[in-house]
Amino acid sequence: MAFNSSKNPVLPVSDLPRDEEKERLLKADEKLFHGSAMTKRGANAALSYMSCAVLLILFNKAALSSYRFPSANVITLLQMVCSCLFLYLLKRWKIISFYMGESLPTSDSNSNFIAFKTLMRTLPLAATYLFYMVVTVESVRGVNVPMYTTLRRTTVAFTMIVEYILARQRYTPPIVGSVGLIVLGAFIAGARDLSFDFYGYAVVFLANIATAIYLATIARIGKSSGLNSFGLMWCNGVICGPFLFFWTLIRGDLKMTIHFPYLFSPGFLIVLLLSCTLAFFLNYSIFLNTTLNSALTQTICGNLKLDSAGYFLVGSHLIF
């Protein structure tokens, strides 16, 4: 349960401190260690993302491989629907707020969730998410797993470039050098599996660019819209949900789901429920980690997540 307080919130209502608040946090004992720009809260967000990501991969793998569920797109749609349902209930029960610094309502008079004008301001976020999702799905098909993992690690470099282009974000030489070492190490590790495929490589690099743009857009929209992580998730789900539904309908994924033999199997339903629940917390941690820390931090956390469970991605295209 979230409380309208900045002290030890389980699900913080406001996740993007203003510049003055950031200054206060960095000067206080909230810093992770001396000289670090990351607060304890930011470190917890990063660790939460990696934990949720690994667990979600395991449950998605169980649904898609162990039960042989025919469509990952339907799982993505169900996860998005469940996330919106969770957000709706939490908002109705006055547990969360969608705006930064907004106090929790004490009556039913505050019935509006997100103003239409604010919703329209998040359209770039929804567009980049759909682009990211479509390109990422295609990227897993063209190259082998070791080379795919190697090429995806270059996302950190793309993220740094995109952040500079969109927000003029500059990083210190030690950080730039560290990113260079990550990219160099990835190519050294994957050199033995090098099998050049222009189309496959091009799609993976396009997926890297799409990921970088998506994460940078989260940071940018989060600062300009006044929405916290819950608000950004709500807008993203409301806009992207209908597009994903029609996509699965046109492809015939929904028809395959109806005829899936284990659709009402208790074991499969439990796996699906846990997958949807974890997806909610994962998306929240992505938005929280990106807005509290940076798009670059989120990308590096994604690389660490790949180190733990990267090979499970072969059976699922639900890559976060």
Side-chain angles (χ1 to χ4, degrees), residues 92-290:
R92 279 297 180 190
W93 293 338
K94 305 177 183 65
I95 297 174
I96 64 171
S97 172
F98 284 166
Y99 289 92
M100 292 184 298
E102 180 185 45
S103 59
L104 296 178
T106 57
S107 67
D108 294 333
S109 59
N110 188 13
S111 58
N112 293 328
F113 275 31
I114 297 291
F116 181 76
K117 183 178 180 180
T118 303
L119 185 66
M120 290 298 99
R121 292 181 66 180
T122 64
L123 279 176
L125 176 62
T128 55
Y129 173 76
L130 291 172
F131 176 60
Y132 152 78
M133 186 176 64
V134 171
V135 175
T136 302
V137 169
E138 184 63 25
S139 68
V140 300
R141 305 183 189 192
V143 295
N144 56 51
V145 173
M147 206 60 224
Y148 173 81
T149 306
T150 296
L151 295 177
R152 285 293 281 166
R153 281 192 171 88
T154 63
T155 306
V156 291
F158 286 99
T159 302
M160 186 177 290
I161 294 171
V162 169
E163 278 194 297
Y164 176 76
I165 294 174
L166 294 182
R168 289 294 183 263
Q169 174 69 50
R170 296 176 181 272
Y171 290 97
T172 60
I175 294 178
V176 176
S178 299
V179 169
L181 285 176
I182 292 174
V183 175
L184 178 61
F187 276 108
I188 292 175
R192 186 174 297 180
D193 299 287
L194 186 65
S195 55
F196 186 75
D197 179 347
F198 178 78
Y199 175 78
Y201 283 25
V203 174
V204 174
F205 280 123
L206 186 61
N208 292 346
I209 295 172
T211 303
I213 294 175
Y214 172 56
L215 295 177
T217 304
I218 291 177
R220 189 172 185 180
I221 297 295
K223 292 176 181 178
S224 63
S225 65
L227 298 170
N228 60 22
S229 289
F230 295 119
L232 293 173
M233 287 172 60
W234 173 260
C235 292
N236 200 49
V238 167
I239 296 174
C240 294
F243 286 98
L244 187 56
F245 172 77
F246 284 114
W247 175 251
T248 55
L249 187 64
I250 292 172
R251 286 174 53 91
D253 292 336
L254 292 179
K255 185 177 180 180
M256 288 190 296
T257 301
I258 294 173
H259 295 94
F260 180 58
Y262 301 106
L263 184 60
F264 298 106
S265 168
F268 175 74
L269 291 177
I270 291 173
V271 168
L272 200 60
L273 177 61
L274 291 172
S275 174
C276 292
T277 304
L278 281 168
F280 170 77
F281 286 105
L282 176 67
N283 286 326
Y284 172 71
S285 63
I286 289 175
F287 284 100
L288 187 66
N289 189 30
T290 305

Side-chain angles (χ1 to χ4, degrees), residues 25-74:
L25 290 177
L26 292 177
K27 290 179 181 178
D29 58 355
E30 285 289 316
K31 288 191 297 184
L32 187 60
F33 53 83
H34 182 70
S36 171
M38 180 182 287
T39 64
K40 293 179 181 178
R41 191 175 168 205
N44 289 334
L47 292 173
S48 297
Y49 161 72
M50 288 186 285
S51 301
C52 289
V54 172
L55 289 174
L56 182 60
I57 288 173
L58 295 177
F59 284 110
N60 287 341
K61 179 70 174 177
L64 292 165
S65 296
S66 299
Y67 285 96
R68 299 186 183 279
F69 188 70
S71 176
N73 286 325
V74 173

